[in-house]
Amino acid sequence: MKIELRKFGLVLTSRPDGREAFAGIRPTLDLSAPHVEIDFAGVLSLSPSWADEFFGELQKIYGDRLTYLPSDNPSVKATLRILKEQHNGS
Amino acid sequence: MSNDLLTIGQAAKYLNVSQDTLRRWDASGRLTSIRSSGGHRYYQRSVLERFKKELFRLATIWASSGMPPEIPSTDHSETQDSFKARLQRMAADINMNPDLALQAALVPAITGEIGNNSFDHNIGNWPDETGVFFAYDLNKREVILADRGVGIRSTLSRVKEDIETDVQALNIAMTKIISGRSDEHRGNGLKYVREVAIDYPIGVTLQSGSAVAIIQKDDPKELKIMPADQYIRGVLARIDY
């Protein structure tokens, strides 16, 4: 299963929006999917607050089955790095 | 009158403030008018243009005054939804320039972290004026943000008790990973802002209380935190890109 983030908007920065995005996609999730890929293509700007809320919930469901597809977008790369530090530091 | 002179009504419309505000600003010397022989106020277009562009000065006054002065409604995002709409507009505006692809990705992200922090941390708790001052200048390549909230030290003190100074609070906010309520992460947005500003040609100045954090746009790319010139209860920030 692939989740295309561009469907949630071009600029993804706030916690309320991240929570709302997850609530919107929640009913459509295939809970038994062996792999879930996050596709960042088409997203202009992503920040950790949105990502923390959205990916955090997906992580609870899928754990290691969740993977992030490579992205050249610097805001995506910086966001994933912070989330990793946050995960390791908590 | 020539095209370069605007009546007070035209000037009020141009700056998006009331005519009474312009009269007050005239009396206080903040924005003086030219008087006709009949006593009517006129404003030079070039002066108004310059005044409108001095965003940081306007934000500083708005953030630091005991009573917040009136500001153009276009610069005041009273709700998180209006902030979001304006942030998307800014991202699209920066992205129009093909030379600024890097900045179009990063500047909205760090602007979003700073602005959304203002809402997330002050919701239901604004001391007076709600929302954020948010304005940007595409020519000067700057973004200005401010809020009249409770400030970073007060916010951090909810989850971390042993913070004694604003400098200490700002240092923690910019450099340390913080966990808030269980199962939820808080306060890590400014760490992201720091990492982006250190890694890319983006400058950030962020003040809260009596402390200011500065990362220059150009080398040396390092975070400096020091006492500020004047006290601001909430947050005042400038991004140069």
Side-chain angles (χ1 to χ4, degrees), chain A residues 9-11 13-17 19-20 44-50 52-53 57 60 73-79 81-82 85-87 89-90, chain B residues 80 84 87-88 91-92 95 102 104-110 112-113 116-117 120 177 179 183-189 191-192 195-196 199-200:
Chain A
L10 292 176
V11 180
T13 65
S14 80
R15 286 186 181 274
D17 276 356
R19 283 195 290 270
E20 198 176 311
L44 179 58
S45 191
L46 176 74
S47 81
S49 289
W50 191 97
D52 189 29
E53 296 290 340
E57 293 301 317
K60 283 181 198 166
N73 185 300
S75 71
V76 171
K77 289 197 277 191
T79 293
R81 193 174 64 206
I82 280 280
E85 287 174 27
Q86 186 171 290
H87 182 72
S90 61
Chain B
Q80 202 155 4
K84 175 186 169 184
L87 184 65
Q88 286 172 336
N95 201 34
L102 184 83
L106 293 166
V107 173
I110 60 174
E113 284 298 328
N116 285 314
N117 260 356
D120 292 344
I177 291 285
S179 295
D183 217 23
E184 181 193 58
H185 294 284
R186 283 279 164 186
N188 300 319
K191 191 166 185 296
Y192 176 79
E195 292 197 2
V196 165
D199 289 348
Y200 297 95

Side-chain angles (χ1 to χ4, degrees), chain B residues 22-228:
Chain B
L22 284 183
R23 291 188 191 97
R24 279 200 302 274
W25 286 355
D26 195 6
S28 68
R30 188 174 161 202
L31 180 63
T32 54
S33 67
I34 300 164
R35 296 295 185 107
S36 69
S37 53
H40 295 293
R41 290 177 171 86
Y42 290 90
Y43 293 85
Q44 278 186 312
R45 186 182 295 275
S46 59
V47 171
L48 293 183
E49 284 171 357
R50 202 162 55 239
F51 185 85
K52 201 174 181 180
K53 284 179 182 171
E54 289 179 3
L55 299 174
F56 190 69
R57 196 182 63 166
L58 187 57
T60 305
I61 293 168
W62 185 76
S64 62
S65 302
M67 287 286 286
E70 189 178 350
I71 52 172
S73 59
T74 49
D75 295 346
H76 189 194
S77 298
E78 291 190 58
T79 65
Q80 202 155 4
D81 280 343
S82 62
F83 175 71
K84 175 186 169 184
R86 201 156 155 68
L87 184 65
Q88 286 172 336
R89 173 69 186 270
M90 182 185 81
D93 284 346
I94 297 174
N95 201 34
M96 294 277 281
N97 185 337
D99 294 334
L100 297 179
L102 184 83
Q103 290 83 348
L106 293 166
V107 173
I110 60 174
T111 302
E113 284 298 328
I114 295 170
N116 285 314
N117 260 356
S118 294
F119 289 100
D120 292 344
H121 294 158
N122 289 292
I123 185 166
N125 206 20
W126 294 101
D128 45 51
E129 197 81 28
T130 60
V132 298
F133 179 105
F134 170 39
Y136 58 95
D137 187 321
L138 294 169
N139 294 317
K140 289 165 85 174
R141 293 194 189 176
E142 69 174 14
V143 182
I144 310 295
L145 293 145
D147 74 53
R148 295 179 58 87
V150 297
I152 289 174
R153 184 177 162 195
S154 173
T155 300
L156 275 183
S157 295
R158 295 173 194 157
V159 292
K160 204 166 167 43
E161 289 172 358
D162 54 342
I163 301 174
E164 292 174 357
T165 67
D166 289 330
V167 168
Q168 197 184 355
L170 201 48
N171 187 48
I172 291 169
M174 301 289 290
T175 64
K176 304 276 193 292
I177 291 285
I178 303 154
S179 295
R181 285 171 279 174
S182 60
D183 217 23
E184 181 193 58
H185 294 284
R186 283 279 164 186
N188 300 319
L190 293 183
K191 191 166 185 296
Y192 176 79
V193 171
R194 176 183 68 90
E195 292 197 2
V196 165
I198 293 279
D199 289 348
Y200 297 95
I202 292 173
V204 172
T205 300
L206 191 144
Q207 180 182 347
S208 185
S210 55
V212 61
I214 300 171
I215 300 167
Q216 292 182 178
K217 183 181 169 191
D218 306 305
D219 291 334
K221 298 296 283 181
E222 60 185 11
L223 170 68
K224 288 180 185 169
I225 298 178
M226 60 192 82

